[in-house]
Amino acid sequence: MSISSLTKIALLFMASLLIATACGQPSATNTATNSPASPVTSSAPETATHSAGKPKININEAILSELDRVEAKLGIAGLSNQIQAGRPYAKIADLVTKKVVTQEQFEQVKDMVSIETIALTGEAKDIDYMLKLGLMKGHMLV
């Protein structure tokens, strides 16, 4: 019994759709490794984290999605782009001297930002790399 070419095309399409869907969905083990409880080892001193336990945002190296946390805290549209455009910063107070934010706004976010580089190691480095790859893939798809 021979399968018609239309049936072959339909089967091929369904198989490729199944593969594409499976590749696009995160697995249960992948989701578990992206948990925020992953250990982060840094070469920076203890001052590299602020009161909420999250690492400070390096205003010289952070990507826009990380800088969006500062933007959300202050409620200023486009602040992430302004911070990025004002780079490099010698100290965090340069946000005020370069007129990116006012002194009052700086007081609200000074505990969130830093110019210290945090060196990730081990699993945290791998997770950071995969997160950045995922962000790039998302931007490419858009």
Side-chain angles (χ1 to χ4, degrees), residues 5-130:
S5 60
L6 184 58
T7 307
K8 288 180 184 177
I9 292 172
L11 287 174
L12 182 61
F13 174 75
M14 289 174 35
S16 63
L17 184 62
L18 180 62
I19 292 170
T21 307
C23 291
Q25 299 295 324
S27 66
T29 57
N30 189 17
T31 306
T33 60
N34 287 334
S35 68
S38 301
V40 176
T41 306
S42 70
S43 61
E46 281 294 315
T47 58
T49 59
H50 61 84
S51 59
K54 293 182 182 177
K56 288 188 175 186
I57 300 165
N58 184 329
I59 55 177
N60 284 326
E61 298 176 356
I63 60 176
L64 286 174
S65 62
E66 293 171 329
L67 293 172
D68 285 344
R69 291 191 353 218
V70 177
E71 183 176 314
K73 171 96 175 179
L74 294 176
I76 302 171
L79 181 62
S80 301
N81 292 321
Q82 292 174 0
I83 293 172
Q84 192 176 45
R87 289 176 179 168
Y89 299 98
K91 55 188 182 285
I92 60 172
D94 285 350
L95 287 170
V96 177
T97 59
K98 292 186 177 187
K99 300 186 190 301
V100 177
V101 295
T102 65
Q103 184 64 39
E104 295 80 24
Q105 293 166 336
F106 176 73
E107 293 297 324
Q108 293 177 19
V109 297
K110 70 180 179 182
D111 294 333
M112 293 177 65
V113 296
S114 171
I115 58 166
E116 297 174 3
T117 301
I118 298 174
L120 300 176
T121 60
E123 186 178 292
K125 184 177 180 180
D126 295 339
I127 291 171
D128 182 61
Y129 178 73
M130 295 304 290

